[in-house]
Amino acid sequence: MFKTFRNAFKIKDIRSKLVFTFIALILVRLGSQLPVPRIDREYFAQWIGTQTSLGFFDTLTGGSFTRMSIFALNITPYITSSIIMQLLTIAIPKLEELQKEGEDGRKKIAEFTRYVTIGLSLIESIAMAIGFGSSGLLEGGTTFTNVVIIVASLTAGSAFLMWLGERITEKGVGNGISIILLINIIARMPSDITNLYRKFVAGASNVMNGLIGAVIILVVIVTVVAFIVLLQNAQRRIPVQYAKKVQGRKMVGGQSSHIPLKVNTAGVIPVIFAGSLLQFPIVISSFFGVSPARAYFWPKVLYLLNQNTWLNFKSIGEFKYSIGLLIYIVLVIFFAYFYTSITFNPIEVSNNMKKQGGFIPGIRPGKPTTEYLTKVLNHIIFIGAVGLTIVAVIPIFFSGAFGADVSFGGTSLIIIVGVVLDTIKQIESQMLVRHYKGFLND
């Protein structure tokens, strides 16, 4: 990894992209410190301390929500918007046609996604302004001016981050939205590691227990990270043979190749979508003064969806709310299949192979090839989804059983490792393209 970045800095074009990305991330962190006007921050800090269910949301925003900065909504409206648009591509034939039109169609869907993002930002910021006003968190009360200022600040902050993420994708190293999400999560890690140290090492009954606690924490983190790296890099290679054919006076074809199918074909998308979908009703409800609780219907539903309540072994009454974990696992598996079905089309791959004279050894071209690719892909997706689930459940288990509450849980680690690996691969591919261009120019 460090060798890749060192070599990248030797190339002017890529160095400029890295510098642009670095400056953009500085702007993200600076904006996370700028407070929204008209909010009583001292009272808000006391109120947010009682809302333990908002931990995952605060992690995605890099602590911006706790500080109630102009980036408090961060890119969560964009993530939710992406989920909505991708679900609508199945329900609405017109969007499905746009999805299949290639680059132009994807640009149109991206434009719709921006509009939906702004709409969601407005809805969430209005709910926050009214909810904070009813809770007494606004200086001067729930006046029209206060609501307009808060809504404008939060919506503008979310729109700016969406625009900045697209600029990083266009002029930086790529993966703009993912990189912003990455820096937000990393920003919370030092405080979480400090909390773990104080609770399980410095707060241990004796030196030996503290040492054992430190070793366990280190082993769990290293093991999970190593497993994620293995999961991200694992792939199934399907051999492809191209038939020989005559073009003019030359014999072409006959070479062998392969189709690389990643085990984790959907990357970090399933865990982000599943976590965001479960967190969305909790966040919206909190703005109206409704928090997860073991009383009444809707608070119980929110309690069920809250990750902090899962795998609590203190009593049967607490453990039964782990049903929410089953919902989370089902969503991860669903989004793994759903997102892969959007990004990889076996019928299209089969048709392209047939046009180019390619075939899978032992499999007839056409429909049999499509069926074979679909069968292999379904098996691979399930393995990848199970791997993602294992990584996500390990920190949830330690949190429920031992109270090891940290923001960089399984979901966060998957995002960190996945985005870092994808970014490194993009930088390497840009270096490779630049090398070939230089060779051709020479």
Side-chain angles (χ1 to χ4, degrees), residues 252-272:
V252 297
Q255 72 271 24
S256 299
S257 183
H258 66 269
I259 302 173
L261 295 179
K262 293 183 64 175
V263 171
N264 184 20
T265 49
V268 301
I269 299 299
V271 290
I272 294 177

Side-chain angles (χ1 to χ4, degrees), residues 7-61:
N7 292 335
F9 268 99
K10 297 177 181 178
I11 303 172
K12 183 179 178 181
D13 294 343
I14 300 180
R15 183 170 65 247
S16 299
K17 292 182 178 182
L18 289 171
V19 171
F20 179 86
T21 303
F22 181 71
I23 294 173
L25 295 181
I26 291 177
L27 291 177
V28 172
R29 296 314 304 162
L30 287 176
S32 299
Q33 312 301 321
L34 299 177
V36 175
R38 307 290 184 172
I39 293 180
D40 188 341
R41 253 158 295 286
E42 292 184 4
Y43 191 17
F44 180 79
Q46 297 175 3
W47 176 82
I48 198 66
T50 64
Q51 306 295 318
T52 56
S53 58
L54 297 177
F56 179 72
F57 181 77
D58 195 45
T59 299
L60 296 182
T61 63

Side-chain angles (χ1 to χ4, degrees), residues 186-437:
I186 291 178
R188 288 291 306 276
M189 291 184 67
S191 62
D192 286 334
I193 293 175
T194 302
N195 292 337
L196 286 177
Y197 174 80
R198 289 174 179 172
K199 185 172 184 177
F200 295 101
V201 181
S205 56
N206 54 61
V207 177
M208 182 57 67
N209 287 342
L211 183 61
I212 293 174
V215 171
I216 291 175
I217 292 171
L218 185 63
V219 169
V220 170
I221 294 176
V222 171
T223 302
V224 172
V225 171
F227 182 74
I228 294 172
V229 172
L230 180 65
L231 185 65
Q232 292 293 106
N233 290 328
Q235 60 179 226
R236 166 75 182 274
R237 295 187 174 186
I238 299 179
V240 177
Q241 183 71 37
Y242 289 91
K244 293 183 178 180
K245 56 183 179 180
V246 178
Q247 287 185 352
R249 296 183 178 181
K250 294 183 179 180
M251 180 75 71
V252 297
Q255 72 271 24
S256 299
S257 183
H258 66 269
I259 302 173
L261 295 179
K262 293 183 64 175
V263 171
N264 184 20
T265 49
V268 301
I269 299 299
V271 290
I272 294 177
F273 281 10
S276 299
L277 204 59
L278 292 182
Q279 195 72 14
F280 186 73
I282 297 176
V283 173
I284 295 298
S285 298
S286 67
F287 300 150
F288 294 96
V290 181
S291 301
R294 297 175 61 187
Y296 307 108
F297 175 73
W298 186 245
K300 279 188 176 181
V301 172
L302 300 179
Y303 198 80
L304 187 77
L305 300 178
N306 183 15
Q307 290 190 15
N308 296 330
T309 64
W310 299 342
L311 299 182
N312 190 331
F313 298 97
K314 293 180 180 179
S315 66
I316 297 296
E318 289 289 339
F319 185 77
K320 68 182 181 182
Y321 290 98
S322 299
I323 295 174
L325 177 60
L326 298 180
I327 298 174
Y328 177 72
I329 292 172
V330 170
L331 286 175
V332 169
I333 295 175
F334 167 75
F335 280 120
Y337 278 95
F338 174 74
Y339 192 77
T340 303
S341 67
I342 295 175
T343 57
F344 186 90
N345 189 343
I347 298 177
E348 185 178 346
V349 173
S350 175
N351 290 336
N352 290 337
M353 287 172 53
K354 189 175 181 180
K355 290 176 183 177
Q356 297 171 8
F359 62 93
I360 299 172
I363 308 295
R364 294 177 59 188
K367 187 177 179 181
T369 298
T370 302
E371 293 175 349
Y372 176 78
L373 288 175
T374 303
K375 180 181 177 182
V376 173
L377 192 63
N378 287 337
H379 291 163
I380 290 175
I381 295 171
F382 182 75
I383 294 172
V386 169
L388 287 176
T389 302
I390 291 173
V391 173
V393 169
I394 289 176
I396 293 174
F397 169 78
F398 281 97
S399 176
F402 304 105
D405 296 325
V406 292
S407 65
F408 61 94
T411 302
S412 301
L413 288 176
I414 292 170
I415 295 171
I416 291 172
V417 176
V419 173
V420 169
L421 291 177
D422 287 343
T423 303
I424 291 173
K425 288 179 180 178
Q426 285 211 14
I427 293 174
E428 289 177 343
S429 65
Q430 290 176 18
M431 293 170 62
L432 191 62
V433 170
R434 192 255 181 200
H435 171 75
Y436 279 126
K437 284 183 178 178

Side-chain angles (χ1 to χ4, degrees), residues 98-271:
L98 286 175
Q99 183 75 27
K100 296 178 180 179
E101 285 181 4
E103 188 64 25
D104 292 338
R106 283 191 289 270
K107 285 182 179 179
K108 198 67 178 177
I109 291 178
E111 184 180 343
F112 294 152
T113 304
R114 296 189 196 105
Y115 295 145
V116 176
T117 299
I118 298 300
L120 289 175
S121 299
L122 284 170
I123 293 172
E124 291 183 24
S125 56
I126 291 172
M128 289 173 70
I130 296 175
F132 291 162
S134 62
S135 301
L137 298 174
L138 301 185
E139 297 175 350
T142 312
T143 64
F144 177 77
T145 303
N146 284 350
V147 171
V148 169
I149 290 175
I150 293 172
V151 170
S153 299
L154 294 177
T155 303
S158 180
F160 176 77
L161 284 181
M162 177 180 64
W163 174 83
L164 190 62
E166 292 179 348
R167 297 291 75 73
I168 293 175
T169 302
E170 181 182 343
K171 299 181 180 180
V173 295
N175 291 336
I177 299 296
S178 299
I179 289 178
I180 291 176
L181 188 60
L182 170 69
I183 198 65
N184 287 337
I185 295 173
I186 291 178
R188 288 291 306 276
M189 291 184 67
S191 62
D192 286 334
I193 293 175
T194 302
N195 292 337
L196 286 177
Y197 174 80
R198 289 174 179 172
K199 185 172 184 177
F200 295 101
V201 181
S205 56
N206 54 61
V207 177
M208 182 57 67
N209 287 342
L211 183 61
I212 293 174
V215 171
I216 291 175
I217 292 171
L218 185 63
V219 169
V220 170
I221 294 176
V222 171
T223 302
V224 172
V225 171
F227 182 74
I228 294 172
V229 172
L230 180 65
L231 185 65
Q232 292 293 106
N233 290 328
Q235 60 179 226
R236 166 75 182 274
R237 295 187 174 186
I238 299 179
V240 177
Q241 183 71 37
Y242 289 91
K244 293 183 178 180
K245 56 183 179 180
V246 178
Q247 287 185 352
R249 296 183 178 181
K250 294 183 179 180
M251 180 75 71
V252 297
Q255 72 271 24
S256 299
S257 183
H258 66 269
I259 302 173
L261 295 179
K262 293 183 64 175
V263 171
N264 184 20
T265 49
V268 301
I269 299 299
V271 290

